[in-house]
Amino acid sequence: MKVELITWEDLENFKKELLQEIRRNTAHPRKPGQEPKEWLKSYEVRKLLGISAGTLQNLRLNETLPYTKIGGLMYYRYEDIRKLMDGVDRS
């Protein structure tokens, strides 16, 4: 059995590459020259990040991704999503 060690640096590099790939394949903004929406609905965030509804719920519950609830809908600021993708601490 072959054993390979993965360092934290390897994981950080993988994260950066993965986020760059997500950004390249993201349809946001939808049309060239069009500014991204300031607020996104849950389904848009899930599509943008490529995550499930449960993962998005976990991001809300552990306060990783702030949101605003209006009626029965959750809205997320695009800037907060970008910060999450860039790994920027919100505090």
Side-chain angles (χ1 to χ4, degrees):
M1 175 170 69
K2 184 177 178 182
V3 177
E4 291 187 37
L5 295 176
I6 298 175
T7 65
W8 282 111
E9 184 179 348
D10 293 333
L11 291 174
E12 283 295 321
N13 289 336
F14 174 73
K15 179 179 92 171
K16 288 176 186 175
E17 290 174 17
L18 182 60
L19 290 174
Q20 288 172 353
E21 185 69 24
I22 289 170
R23 286 185 197 114
R24 268 197 302 274
N25 293 317
T26 298
H28 199 75
R30 288 165 298 291
K31 296 178 184 172
Q34 182 183 17
E35 289 295 317
K37 292 196 279 184
E38 183 177 353
W39 293 92
L40 302 174
K41 294 180 181 176
S42 292
Y43 79 92
E44 294 170 310
V45 175
R46 291 195 320 263
K47 183 177 178 183
L48 179 66
L49 298 177
I51 60 174
S52 68
T55 300
L56 183 56
Q57 181 179 8
N58 285 333
L59 292 173
R60 284 193 312 264
L61 291 176
N62 65 22
E63 299 178 356
T64 301
L65 184 60
Y67 67 97
T68 300
K69 186 172 182 179
I70 301 175
L73 297 176
M74 310 281 191
Y75 292 92
Y76 307 83
R77 285 185 37 210
Y78 182 72
E79 184 177 325
D80 291 333
I81 296 165
R82 291 297 302 194
K83 287 179 183 177
L84 175 68
M85 291 173 63
D86 291 338
V88 175
D89 188 9
R90 295 182 295 108
S91 20

